[in-house]
Amino acid sequence: QVQLVESGGGLVQAGGSLRLSCAASGSIFSINAMGWYRQAPGKQRELVATVTAAGSTNYADSVKGRFTISRDNAKNTMYLQMNSLKPEDTAVYYCNADIVVAGTFGYLRVWGQGTLVTVSS
């Protein structure tokens, strides 16, 4: 019905930048909150940042001032601009979204497949 597809991951040196994208597709009526999470090897998945439909944002302390989350509601797409990357930012980054499927009530919490970000020292 609906899916999220991340892109933009890759290998970057410490201090560098990457921009992740998360595109939603399918029978979408609307999208409520969206967010980025990450999971490093051997660790639990953790919140990176969230953004509401109105554009209010929230960040993990570890990325404040370095990462910026944004969304383009017309394109059903969310972004994560990551600057001043550190080796400890290395992880698989997942996006999620609370999607109201066309013709239904309530919403589905949908996850993307993840994109790997590797920061070398």
Side-chain angles (χ1 to χ4, degrees), residues 63-97:
V63 306
K64 281 182 181 177
R66 300 188 298 123
F67 291 10
T68 302
I69 189 171
S70 62
R71 62 191 283 175
D72 184 334
N73 292 330
K75 295 181 179 180
N76 289 334
T77 301
M78 174 179 63
Y79 306 95
L80 185 68
Q81 178 66 44
M82 305 185 293
N83 298 329
S84 302
L85 282 161
K86 305 174 181 180
E88 51 263 44
D89 294 317
T90 295
V92 177
Y93 283 71
Y94 299 90
C95 64
N96 81 350

Side-chain angles (χ1 to χ4, degrees), residues 7-29:
S7 61
L11 174 64
V12 64
Q13 288 188 331
S17 299
L18 281 175
R19 188 191 194 210
L20 305 183
S21 298
C22 172
S25 63
S27 300
I28 298 169
F29 176 76

Side-chain angles (χ1 to χ4, degrees), residues 4-61:
L4 298 176
V5 177
E6 299 105 333
S7 61
L11 174 64
V12 64
Q13 288 188 331
S17 299
L18 281 175
R19 188 191 194 210
L20 305 183
S21 298
C22 172
S25 63
S27 300
I28 298 169
F29 176 76
S30 65
I31 302 177
N32 297 334
M34 303 182 78
W36 288 99
Y37 292 73
R38 66 186 181 186
Q39 187 167 17
K43 295 188 176 181
Q44 290 187 334
R45 190 173 298 189
E46 64 176 4
L47 171 71
V48 175
T50 61
V51 58
T52 68
S56 295
T57 59
N58 179 58
Y59 295 92
D61 289 342

